[in-house]
Amino acid sequence: MSKNVDTIRVFLSDVSEEMKSTQDFLSKILVRAGMEIIFLNANYEEIDDEILTNRILDEVKKADCTIHILGHSYGKIIQNKKQTSLSEFQFYVAQNYQKENVISKIFIWYPQDLIDKPLDASQEDFINSVRNNISSNMVYSNHESPVVFVEDLRSIMLSDKKEIKDIKDTDIFFIYNELDEDEAHEIIELVSDIADVTKLGIVQSSPDDYMTFIANQMTKTKLLVIYFNRTSDWATHFVQQVWNKTGGASSQTPILFLGDLETETNENKNIAIPNVNSMMLSAELMPLEIKVHLDAIKN
Amino acid sequence: MEKKICPYPGLRPFTENESIFFKGREVHIRQIIRQLEEKKFVMITGASGDGKSSLVYAGVIPNARAGFFRAKFSNWLITDFRPERSPLQNLARTISQHLELDAAFVEEELGYGFSALTSLYKESKFYIDYNSEKWINASKEEQKKMKQSASNLFILADQFEEFFTNSENFSNNKPSANAYTTINLLLETARIASEADLPIYIAFTMRSDYISQSVAFKGLPEFIGFSQFFVPRLKRNELQQIIEEPAILSGGKVSKSLSEKLINDLPNGFDQLPLLQHIMNRLWKVADDGNQELNLLHLAKIAGMPSKILKAEDRENFDAWLLEIEDFRQVYYDKPMLTNVLNTHANILYEKSFDYFSQNIDWAKQNITKADAQLIIKIAFKSLTKIDEGRAVRNRITLREITQIINVPHISYEIVCGVMNIYRLQDSTFVRPFINDEDIATQYLSADDTFDITHEALIRNWKYLQEWEAEEMDNLSNLKDFQIQLNRWKDNNKADGFLLAAGALAYFEDWYNKSKPNKYWIAKYDMNAFSKEEKLENAEILSSEIVEFLQASRKYLLALKRKQQRLRTILLIAALIIIVTLSGVAFLANTARKYAETQAVLIEQQKKKAEKQKEIAEDQKEIAIKATELAEEEKKRAELNAYEALVAKLLSDSAKTDAQKMRALAELSSEYAKKEAENAKLARDKAEEMRLLSENERKIAESERERANVLSYLAMAQSLALKSKQNYNDKQVNLLLAYQAYKFNKDYGGSEQDPEIYKALNFAILNSGEKNIIPLEKENFTNMSLNGLITLVSKHGKLQKYDFNGGKPSVSKTLSSKIPVNSSYVLDAKYAIIGYEDKTAYLWDYENNQVEKFPDYSDYIRGAIKLSNSTIAISDRGPALKIWSFDQKKPKLIIEIVFEERINDFVFVPKKNMMFAACNNGNIIGIDLDSYEKKNISTKKNRATAIAISPDQSLLAVGYSNGVIDVFTVSDKITFKTSIYASSAGVSNLVFDENSSTLAIATDDERINLYSVTDFEASPITISDHEQNVKKLSIKNNRIYALCYDSSLRFWELSLKNYVEKVKSLITRDLTTEEWNKYIGEEIKR
């Protein structure tokens, strides 16, 4: 989700006593960086685990991300079943929430100047557990400067991927260069009889943001076909850049890279990249080849 | 399993082919493309190592080729070049290749500058003028074909700073004609392309520190101002993409823990990206070529890592792996850090170069030794760098030139190539040109092929190369100093007065003999000449002048010495003459006195003789008067006789006057002689006095010389102690230097517990492979007690006893409970107190395995001491001390003594029957165990964190959170004795040795300081090799034992003498003469 600075809301988790001043300092910086801070307002001493979990969840849900500051002492243990500190309890609630809500992010800050200080045994176990279980939407920062930490947080929150709009599901996403337009249209016409096709002709001088469109369309496509006849130089680089920006070997959408065999310059244009099937075929065989690949994916 | 492609290029930049793995720079690529689209020109600047070249080669160019660059045509001609030593020729070469034109023709055309390049492009088949008749008259099919072959022209001048760094291009702050024309051509091309909207795009990449020099080229600053892109610092999320996404693209994975660790630990500033890419490349290989998820364990294996950071299951794996690697590599893991990776990698290649050469290079003679191979690497890398304004930079150089600088007859350029190949392999890529695994011919280079260090990050992060560069810097600085003296001599017609003085001559001769500067090396630093031939010619002249100047200076000094020797002889003779003269004067005075005395005697005799003659004359006168009366004839004879008598009388009177004068003279002479004698005596007395004074001064000087000698040996001992802590290939050198440091220190009266000598001996022992860790079973130990044995209690409630060699425990008992132990205290050979994480506490008779719970107890125990056979004192996190009895084995609370704040540590002093508590509010409180009355001993603002009583109960030491230790004397009263400042970090442990002569202090900055109780002001011995904070510190049998936070039990000798014996037992040889001369000095006799 794309955000403005003004709208970033941060849940600031509880800290042990010796980190209160650090937490206070950080909260002032967050405010000056234009963020809204959410604290837990609950008398946790007197409530049971379930109620406490729900109260924390209520606050976490209001936020775009959570911040957890780690110090060298474990902090006061609350009277819950696991006998954990409030900060650890809050961390696990946020973590469980994040597992199901990938948009939410967790920022852990363990300032560099504290790293060499001796830890409470319980705190050491907690930190080791956090450090060894960092997941994709978590950031574990050791930067000594709270300003840098907040800068990092802001740039990460603002760099979230753009929302996908106006993209429809399709079987085949067919891309070609405008210089091969005539040949490409013949193939697309044949393939359209057997599958849904979304086509894209690349015009070098066009101001369109092709890459954003391609990256988004790829998420709704079963097979990407990149076709070329007389534009092999363009095509070999184009397929590589598309591969680079759409997940490469780990992408869910394979790429079929098709060159016209009858054009002499295409002789050695096969490329070997994982998740890309590269073939030089005569134009009439191409629809069939595309169908074979699509069927293999569907099955 | 299909081998995955490594998506991290290592130290070298990404190539265009590797753009598929280039991530994290999408925004910057778009910005540069936008600038080019609008302005046709961009100057890309940034710090060294921030990926400028990669940004263009793997970002801008592939995106342009792929169509993500708005331009006239679909195809691209990418003409890239580096200025190197002949920029115009290099530009002409790439233009002629891509425009498919004759090279000589293009070079000639471009030599005219201005619009020459645009004309060549517009006239080529790659450009379409849509207004031309050719286009208008062409058929649609022909037009289509023309469009399909039309290409935009992209000109890239990479490493633009070479226009300034190569003296062929820029010398004495002036550009060469060749360089000037090239830049004129490029800027004019950009200007024309912009005005005429031609599809020509020009990009330069340049290190930002050369921007100010661009004013030397007319028009260049204006173009930089017109369109510049400063490569920004990478944001956290961009770094994350650079780390994680290439692996994903290649079908691999990077663990999030590793990714975050790398981002947190990466150094800021220079070299961030090349170091990161190199680390990722190494990680990929360690992780089975990406078949395993890249994780922290892999990082630990290439950079080292405190094992507490690793997952429990990885720790054992890592420790076992660490034990197996070669000795020379072990040391690199002592201080885990990311910059270790490059340094370690380069060192491994250095160590293995000879074996690689012997086993793989069959086309070069195998007549070199390992030392030769390492010398080749050293000189090759020194040649591949040069000093530019006090910093080391890359220096492209041919194989032939390197071989010439090495200048050893049996080392041919083939051998140099063969040895250096290990740095050109695909796995390392430290030096260009790289070896292509699929083309065996790339192993072998010709003498004129050029070597180049891939990235300056290597210069800044390889420690050996830094040492070599420091040596190079010294050599260059000596050459420049020498040249100043040489020129002064030449400018003054080679006059003797401008030759080198003795000290300078000795210094420069020593430099000359050691560094052997030959003409090829000298030519490398000739910044005045443009051509290579001219440089060599100048260097040859300088080389022979150096020899001439040294020889002339030596000859002159020898002549001067001989002259001085002659002068000394003359002075000696003159001194002898003066002595003889002075003796002569005294002798003459004496002689004159004697002569005067003799003369006085003679005068007296003559006077007597004259008086007698007078008497005779009187008699004769009387006879004459009588005769007058008697005879007239006799009268004249009588008168004659009288006259004769008168004459005789006159004569006699005259003789008398003479005698009187002579006597006066004699008296004066005598007086003079007397005075002279007195003067001689005074002079003699003065001389004697002077002699005594001089004797005294000589004795003082002798004593001072002795003292200076002693101090110089003590300084030498300190210097050797420092040297012994450096890394040498042969660890015997560390041992020998440490031992020699000890010997000098001992022989010349240094302190018996000198901290530096102690550290040197300790280091040498550990460095030789000896361990100071007692092997124990893997447990997370909470506390330790030393009596006859080492007793430890683990987090799992296991009590183990070990002898002092470790190994298998002689006793191992477990108090079965599923709750982890929070703290433990072994009271004696029978009892221990165990506090659990659930805040319960138990008294454990582990001898009989009986356990009793402390009733109504609910807190974490923070201290426990046995007061008698039936009472114990316990402190917890509350502000109280609780005294319990356990007469009937069941603990029973006797009294709870309440304080203002919690107690961090406390001790029992039997002779006063008192306890002393160190409180969190800085108070030290004494508790009388008869009356349980409290007495405030001391108050401070900082937290009192540790307290200890000496075994003889005479001293009480208290440590505070600000690193200060107060020492009190314990007698009838508790009296403040002194304060010590041990560290800026807090004090965690204090302990006295068994003789109450040493106080050991553990502080939270992973140090242990040893203070002598008799002299707290003396510098302490500081121990820091454990690199851990200490949980518990004890001293037993003159050894310090520390239970560290990683559960390792380490020990150190208390006395330096014990280390000496250990070092002696490890030494297997003596220092060689060469080593002695190198580390100690030729002038020091063994």
Side-chain angles (χ1 to χ4, degrees), chain B residues 324-377:
Chain B
E324 279 173 18
I325 60 171
E326 300 98 319
D327 285 351
F328 75 88
R329 286 176 65 187
Q330 302 265 2
V331 68
Y332 306 137
Y333 295 90
D334 286 351
K335 284 197 181 300
M337 60 178 90
L338 294 187
T339 47
N340 270 356
V341 182
L342 183 54
N343 184 44
T344 307
H345 189 191
N347 283 352
I348 290 170
L349 300 182
Y350 178 72
E351 291 294 335
K352 293 188 170 173
S353 58
F354 179 68
D355 290 342
Y356 176 83
F357 177 79
S358 308
Q359 289 158 17
N360 296 287
I361 310 296
D362 51 4
W363 38 263
K365 277 190 182 175
Q366 294 282 333
N367 59 343
I368 59 163
T369 61
K370 185 172 182 180
D372 285 336
Q374 294 187 338
L375 176 78
I376 289 168
I377 292 170

Coordinates of all heavy atoms in Angstrom, one line a residue, chain B residues 324-377:
Chain B
E324 N 38.9 -27.4 12.3 CA 39.4 -28.1 11.2 C 40.2 -27.3 10.2 O 41.0 -27.7 9.5 CB 38.3 -28.8 10.5 CG 37.9 -30.1 11.2 CD 36.7 -30.8 10.5 OE1 36.4 -30.4 9.4 OE2 36.1 -31.6 11.2
I325 N 39.9 -26.0 10.2 CA 40.6 -25.1 9.1 C 42.0 -24.9 9.4 O 42.5 -25.1 10.6 CB 39.8 -23.8 9.0 CG1 39.9 -23.0 10.3 CG2 38.4 -24.0 8.5 CD1 39.4 -21.6 10.1
E326 N 42.8 -24.5 8.4 CA 44.2 -24.3 8.6 C 44.5 -23.3 9.7 O 43.8 -22.4 9.9 CB 44.8 -23.8 7.2 CG 44.7 -24.7 6.1 CD 43.5 -24.3 5.2 OE1 42.4 -23.9 5.8 OE2 43.6 -24.4 4.0
D327 N 45.7 -23.5 10.3 CA 46.1 -22.7 11.4 C 46.1 -21.2 11.0 O 45.7 -20.3 11.7 CB 47.5 -23.0 11.9 CG 47.5 -24.3 12.7 OD1 46.3 -24.7 13.0 OD2 48.5 -24.9 13.0
F328 N 46.7 -20.9 9.8 CA 46.8 -19.5 9.4 C 45.5 -18.8 9.3 O 45.4 -17.6 9.4 CB 47.7 -19.3 8.1 CG 47.0 -19.7 6.8 CD1 46.2 -18.7 6.2 CD2 47.0 -21.0 6.3 CE1 45.6 -19.0 5.0 CE2 46.4 -21.3 5.1 CZ 45.7 -20.3 4.5
R329 N 44.4 -19.6 9.1 CA 43.1 -19.0 8.9 C 42.4 -18.7 10.2 O 41.6 -17.8 10.4 CB 42.2 -19.9 8.1 CG 42.6 -19.9 6.6 CD 41.8 -20.8 5.8 NE 40.3 -20.5 5.8 CZ 39.4 -21.2 5.3 NH1 39.7 -22.4 4.7 NH2 38.1 -20.8 5.3
Q330 N 42.8 -19.5 11.3 CA 42.1 -19.4 12.6 C 42.1 -18.0 13.1 O 41.1 -17.5 13.6 CB 42.9 -20.3 13.6 CG 43.0 -21.7 13.2 CD 41.9 -22.6 13.8 OE1 41.0 -22.0 14.5 NE2 41.9 -23.8 13.6
V331 N 43.3 -17.3 12.9 CA 43.5 -16.0 13.5 C 42.5 -15.0 12.9 O 42.1 -14.0 13.6 CB 44.9 -15.6 13.3 CG1 45.3 -15.3 11.9 CG2 45.2 -14.3 14.1
Y332 N 42.0 -15.2 11.6 CA 41.1 -14.3 11.0 C 39.8 -14.2 11.7 O 39.0 -13.3 11.5 CB 41.0 -14.5 9.5 CG 42.3 -14.6 8.8 CD1 42.5 -15.6 7.8 CD2 43.3 -13.7 9.0 CE1 43.7 -15.7 7.2 CE2 44.5 -13.8 8.3 CZ 44.7 -14.7 7.4 OH 45.9 -14.8 6.7
Y333 N 39.5 -15.3 12.4 CA 38.1 -15.4 13.0 C 38.1 -14.9 14.4 O 37.1 -14.9 15.1 CB 37.6 -16.8 12.9 CG 37.5 -17.3 11.5 CD1 38.5 -17.9 10.8 CD2 36.3 -17.0 10.8 CE1 38.4 -18.2 9.5 CE2 36.1 -17.4 9.5 CZ 37.2 -18.0 8.8 OH 37.0 -18.3 7.5
D334 N 39.3 -14.4 14.9 CA 39.3 -13.9 16.3 C 38.4 -12.7 16.5 O 37.8 -12.5 17.5 CB 40.7 -13.5 16.7 CG 41.6 -14.8 16.9 OD1 41.0 -15.8 16.9 OD2 42.8 -14.6 17.0
K335 N 38.4 -11.8 15.5 CA 37.6 -10.6 15.7 C 36.6 -10.6 14.5 O 36.9 -10.1 13.4 CB 38.4 -9.4 15.6 CG 39.2 -9.1 16.9 CD 39.7 -7.7 16.9 CE 40.5 -7.4 18.1 NZ 39.8 -7.6 19.4
P336 N 35.4 -11.2 14.8 CA 34.4 -11.3 13.7 C 34.0 -9.9 13.1 O 33.7 -9.0 13.9 CB 33.2 -11.9 14.3 CG 33.7 -12.5 15.6 CD 34.9 -11.7 16.0
M337 N 34.1 -9.8 11.8 CA 33.7 -8.6 11.2 C 33.6 -8.8 9.7 O 34.3 -9.7 9.1 CB 34.5 -7.4 11.5 CG 36.0 -7.5 11.0 SD 36.9 -6.0 11.4 CE 37.5 -6.3 13.0
L338 N 32.8 -8.0 9.0 CA 32.5 -8.3 7.6 C 33.8 -8.0 6.7 O 34.0 -8.6 5.7 CB 31.3 -7.5 7.1 CG 30.0 -7.8 7.7 CD1 28.9 -7.1 7.0 CD2 29.7 -9.3 7.6
T339 N 34.6 -7.0 7.2 CA 35.8 -6.8 6.3 C 36.8 -7.9 6.4 O 37.7 -7.9 5.6 CB 36.4 -5.5 6.8 OG1 36.6 -5.5 8.2 CG2 35.7 -4.2 6.4
N340 N 36.6 -8.8 7.3 CA 37.4 -10.0 7.4 C 37.4 -10.8 6.1 O 38.3 -11.5 5.7 CB 36.9 -11.0 8.5 CG 37.6 -10.7 9.8 OD1 38.4 -9.9 9.9 ND2 37.2 -11.4 10.8
V341 N 36.2 -10.8 5.4 CA 36.0 -11.7 4.3 C 36.9 -11.5 3.2 O 37.6 -12.4 2.7 CB 34.5 -11.6 3.8 CG1 34.2 -12.6 2.7 CG2 33.5 -11.8 5.0
L342 N 37.1 -10.2 2.8 CA 38.0 -9.9 1.7 C 39.4 -10.1 2.1 O 40.2 -10.7 1.3 CB 37.7 -8.5 1.3 CG 38.5 -7.9 0.1 CD1 38.3 -8.8 -1.1 CD2 38.1 -6.5 -0.3
N343 N 39.8 -9.7 3.3 CA 41.1 -9.8 3.8 C 41.5 -11.3 3.8 O 42.5 -11.8 3.4 CB 41.2 -9.2 5.2 CG 42.6 -9.2 5.7 OD1 43.6 -9.0 5.0 ND2 42.8 -9.6 6.9
T344 N 40.6 -12.1 4.4 CA 40.9 -13.6 4.6 C 41.0 -14.2 3.2 O 41.9 -15.0 3.0 CB 39.7 -14.2 5.3 OG1 39.5 -13.5 6.5 CG2 40.0 -15.7 5.7
H345 N 40.1 -13.9 2.3 CA 40.1 -14.5 1.0 C 41.5 -14.2 0.3 O 42.1 -15.1 -0.3 CB 39.0 -13.9 0.2 CG 38.8 -14.6 -1.1 ND1 37.9 -14.2 -2.1 CD2 39.3 -15.7 -1.7 CE1 37.9 -15.0 -3.1 NE2 38.8 -15.9 -2.9
A346 N 41.9 -12.9 0.3 CA 43.1 -12.5 -0.4 C 44.3 -13.2 0.3 O 45.3 -13.7 -0.4 CB 43.3 -11.0 -0.3
N347 N 44.3 -13.4 1.6 CA 45.4 -14.0 2.3 C 45.4 -15.5 2.0 O 46.5 -16.1 1.9 CB 45.2 -13.9 3.9 CG 45.6 -12.5 4.3 OD1 46.1 -11.7 3.5 ND2 45.3 -12.2 5.5
I348 N 44.3 -16.1 1.9 CA 44.2 -17.6 1.6 C 44.9 -17.8 0.2 O 45.7 -18.7 0.0 CB 42.8 -18.1 1.6 CG1 42.3 -18.1 3.0 CG2 42.7 -19.5 1.0 CD1 40.8 -18.4 3.1
L349 N 44.6 -16.9 -0.7 CA 45.2 -17.0 -2.1 C 46.7 -16.8 -2.0 O 47.5 -17.5 -2.7 CB 44.6 -16.0 -3.0 CG 43.1 -16.1 -3.3 CD1 42.6 -15.1 -4.3 CD2 42.7 -17.5 -3.7
Y350 N 47.1 -15.9 -1.1 CA 48.5 -15.6 -1.0 C 49.2 -16.9 -0.4 O 50.3 -17.2 -0.9 CB 48.7 -14.4 0.0 CG 50.1 -14.0 0.4 CD1 50.9 -13.4 -0.5 CD2 50.6 -14.3 1.7 CE1 52.2 -13.0 -0.2 CE2 51.8 -13.9 2.0 CZ 52.6 -13.2 1.1 OH 53.9 -12.9 1.4
E351 N 48.6 -17.5 0.6 CA 49.2 -18.7 1.2 C 49.2 -19.8 0.2 O 50.1 -20.7 0.2 CB 48.4 -19.1 2.4 CG 48.6 -18.1 3.6 CD 50.0 -18.1 4.2 OE1 50.7 -19.1 4.0 OE2 50.3 -17.0 4.7
K352 N 48.2 -19.9 -0.7 CA 48.1 -21.1 -1.5 C 48.7 -20.9 -2.9 O 48.6 -21.8 -3.8 CB 46.6 -21.5 -1.7 CG 46.0 -22.0 -0.4 CD 44.7 -22.5 -0.6 CE 44.2 -23.2 0.7 NZ 42.8 -23.6 0.7
S353 N 49.2 -19.7 -3.2 CA 49.7 -19.3 -4.5 C 50.7 -20.3 -5.0 O 50.7 -20.7 -6.2 CB 50.2 -17.9 -4.5 OG 51.3 -17.8 -3.6
F354 N 51.7 -20.6 -4.2 CA 52.8 -21.5 -4.6 C 52.2 -22.9 -5.0 O 52.6 -23.4 -6.0 CB 53.8 -21.6 -3.5 CG 55.0 -22.5 -3.9 CD1 55.8 -22.1 -5.0 CD2 55.2 -23.7 -3.3 CE1 56.9 -22.9 -5.4 CE2 56.2 -24.5 -3.7 CZ 57.1 -24.1 -4.7
D355 N 51.4 -23.4 -4.2 CA 50.8 -24.8 -4.4 C 50.0 -24.7 -5.8 O 50.1 -25.6 -6.6 CB 49.9 -25.2 -3.3 CG 50.7 -25.6 -2.1 OD1 51.9 -25.7 -2.2 OD2 50.1 -25.6 -1.0
Y356 N 49.3 -23.6 -5.9 CA 48.5 -23.5 -7.1 C 49.4 -23.5 -8.3 O 49.1 -24.1 -9.3 CB 47.6 -22.2 -7.1 CG 46.8 -22.0 -8.3 CD1 45.6 -22.6 -8.6 CD2 47.3 -21.2 -9.3 CE1 44.9 -22.5 -9.7 CE2 46.6 -21.0 -10.5 CZ 45.4 -21.6 -10.7 OH 44.8 -21.4 -11.9
F357 N 50.4 -22.7 -8.2 CA 51.4 -22.6 -9.3 C 52.0 -23.9 -9.6 O 52.1 -24.3 -10.8 CB 52.5 -21.6 -8.9 CG 53.5 -21.4 -10.0 CD1 53.3 -20.6 -11.1 CD2 54.8 -22.0 -9.8 CE1 54.3 -20.4 -12.0 CE2 55.8 -21.8 -10.7 CZ 55.6 -21.1 -11.9
S358 N 52.4 -24.6 -8.6 CA 53.1 -25.9 -8.8 C 52.2 -26.9 -9.5 O 52.6 -27.7 -10.3 CB 53.6 -26.5 -7.5 OG 54.4 -25.5 -6.8
Q359 N 50.9 -26.9 -9.0 CA 50.0 -28.0 -9.5 C 49.3 -27.6 -10.8 O 48.8 -28.5 -11.5 CB 48.9 -28.2 -8.4 CG 49.5 -28.9 -7.2 CD 48.7 -28.7 -5.9 OE1 47.6 -28.3 -6.0 NE2 49.3 -28.9 -4.8
N360 N 49.2 -26.4 -11.1 CA 48.3 -26.0 -12.3 C 49.1 -25.4 -13.5 O 48.5 -25.3 -14.6 CB 47.2 -25.1 -11.9 CG 46.3 -25.7 -10.9 OD1 45.5 -26.6 -11.2 ND2 46.4 -25.4 -9.6
I361 N 50.2 -24.8 -13.2 CA 50.9 -24.1 -14.3 C 52.0 -24.9 -14.9 O 53.1 -25.0 -14.3 CB 51.4 -22.7 -13.8 CG1 50.4 -22.0 -13.0 CG2 52.0 -21.9 -14.9 CD1 49.1 -21.5 -13.8
D362 N 51.7 -25.6 -16.0 CA 52.7 -26.5 -16.5 C 53.5 -25.8 -17.7 O 54.4 -26.3 -18.2 CB 52.1 -27.8 -17.0 CG 50.9 -27.6 -17.9 OD1 50.6 -26.4 -18.2 OD2 50.3 -28.5 -18.3
W363 N 53.1 -24.6 -18.0 CA 53.7 -23.9 -19.1 C 54.8 -22.9 -18.7 O 55.4 -22.2 -19.5 CB 52.7 -23.2 -20.0 CG 51.6 -22.5 -19.3 CD1 50.3 -23.1 -19.0 CD2 51.6 -21.3 -18.6 NE1 49.6 -22.2 -18.3 CE2 50.3 -21.1 -18.0 CE3 52.5 -20.3 -18.4 CZ2 50.0 -20.0 -17.3 CZ3 52.2 -19.2 -17.7 CH2 50.9 -19.0 -17.1
A364 N 55.0 -22.8 -17.4 CA 56.1 -21.9 -16.9 C 57.1 -22.8 -16.2 O 56.8 -23.9 -15.6 CB 55.6 -20.9 -16.0
K365 N 58.4 -22.3 -16.1 CA 59.4 -23.1 -15.4 C 59.1 -23.2 -13.9 O 58.6 -22.2 -13.4 CB 60.8 -22.4 -15.5 CG 61.5 -22.7 -16.8 CD 62.9 -22.1 -16.7 CE 63.6 -22.4 -18.1 NZ 64.9 -21.7 -18.0
Q366 N 59.3 -24.4 -13.4 CA 59.0 -24.6 -12.0 C 60.2 -24.4 -11.1 O 60.5 -25.2 -10.2 CB 58.4 -26.0 -11.8 CG 57.1 -26.2 -12.5 CD 55.9 -25.6 -11.7 OE1 56.0 -25.4 -10.5 NE2 54.9 -25.2 -12.5
N367 N 61.0 -23.3 -11.3 CA 62.2 -23.1 -10.6 C 62.1 -22.1 -9.5 O 63.1 -21.3 -9.3 CB 63.4 -22.8 -11.6 CG 63.1 -21.5 -12.3 OD1 61.9 -21.1 -12.4 ND2 64.1 -20.9 -12.9
I368 N 60.9 -21.9 -8.9 CA 60.8 -20.9 -7.9 C 60.4 -21.6 -6.6 O 59.9 -22.7 -6.6 CB 59.8 -19.8 -8.2 CG1 58.4 -20.4 -8.5 CG2 60.3 -19.0 -9.4 CD1 57.3 -19.4 -8.4
T369 N 60.6 -20.9 -5.5 CA 60.3 -21.4 -4.2 C 59.0 -20.7 -3.7 O 58.5 -19.8 -4.4 CB 61.4 -21.0 -3.1 OG1 61.5 -19.6 -3.1 CG2 62.7 -21.6 -3.5
K370 N 58.5 -21.1 -2.6 CA 57.3 -20.5 -2.0 C 57.6 -19.0 -1.7 O 56.7 -18.1 -2.0 CB 56.8 -21.2 -0.8 CG 55.5 -20.7 -0.2 CD 55.0 -21.5 0.9 CE 53.6 -20.9 1.4 NZ 53.0 -21.6 2.5
A371 N 58.8 -18.8 -1.2 CA 59.2 -17.4 -0.9 C 59.2 -16.5 -2.2 O 58.7 -15.4 -2.2 CB 60.5 -17.3 -0.2
D372 N 59.7 -17.1 -3.3 CA 59.7 -16.4 -4.6 C 58.2 -16.1 -5.0 O 58.0 -14.9 -5.4 CB 60.3 -17.3 -5.7 CG 61.8 -17.4 -5.6 OD1 62.4 -16.5 -5.0 OD2 62.4 -18.4 -6.1
A373 N 57.4 -17.0 -4.8 CA 56.0 -16.8 -5.3 C 55.4 -15.7 -4.5 O 54.7 -14.8 -5.0 CB 55.1 -18.1 -5.1
Q374 N 55.6 -15.7 -3.2 CA 55.0 -14.6 -2.3 C 55.7 -13.3 -2.6 O 55.1 -12.2 -2.5 CB 55.1 -15.0 -0.9 CG 54.2 -16.2 -0.6 CD 54.1 -16.6 0.8 OE1 54.9 -16.3 1.7 NE2 53.1 -17.4 1.2
L375 N 57.0 -13.3 -3.0 CA 57.7 -12.0 -3.4 C 57.0 -11.5 -4.7 O 56.8 -10.3 -4.8 CB 59.2 -12.3 -3.6 CG 59.9 -11.1 -4.0 CD1 60.2 -10.1 -2.9 CD2 61.3 -11.4 -4.7
I376 N 56.8 -12.4 -5.6 CA 56.2 -12.0 -6.9 C 54.8 -11.3 -6.6 O 54.5 -10.2 -7.1 CB 56.0 -13.2 -7.8 CG1 57.3 -13.7 -8.3 CG2 55.0 -12.9 -9.0 CD1 57.3 -15.0 -9.0
I377 N 54.0 -11.9 -5.7 CA 52.7 -11.4 -5.4 C 52.9 -10.0 -4.8 O 52.2 -9.0 -5.1 CB 51.9 -12.3 -4.5 CG1 51.5 -13.6 -5.3 CG2 50.6 -11.7 -4.0 CD1 51.0 -14.7 -4.4

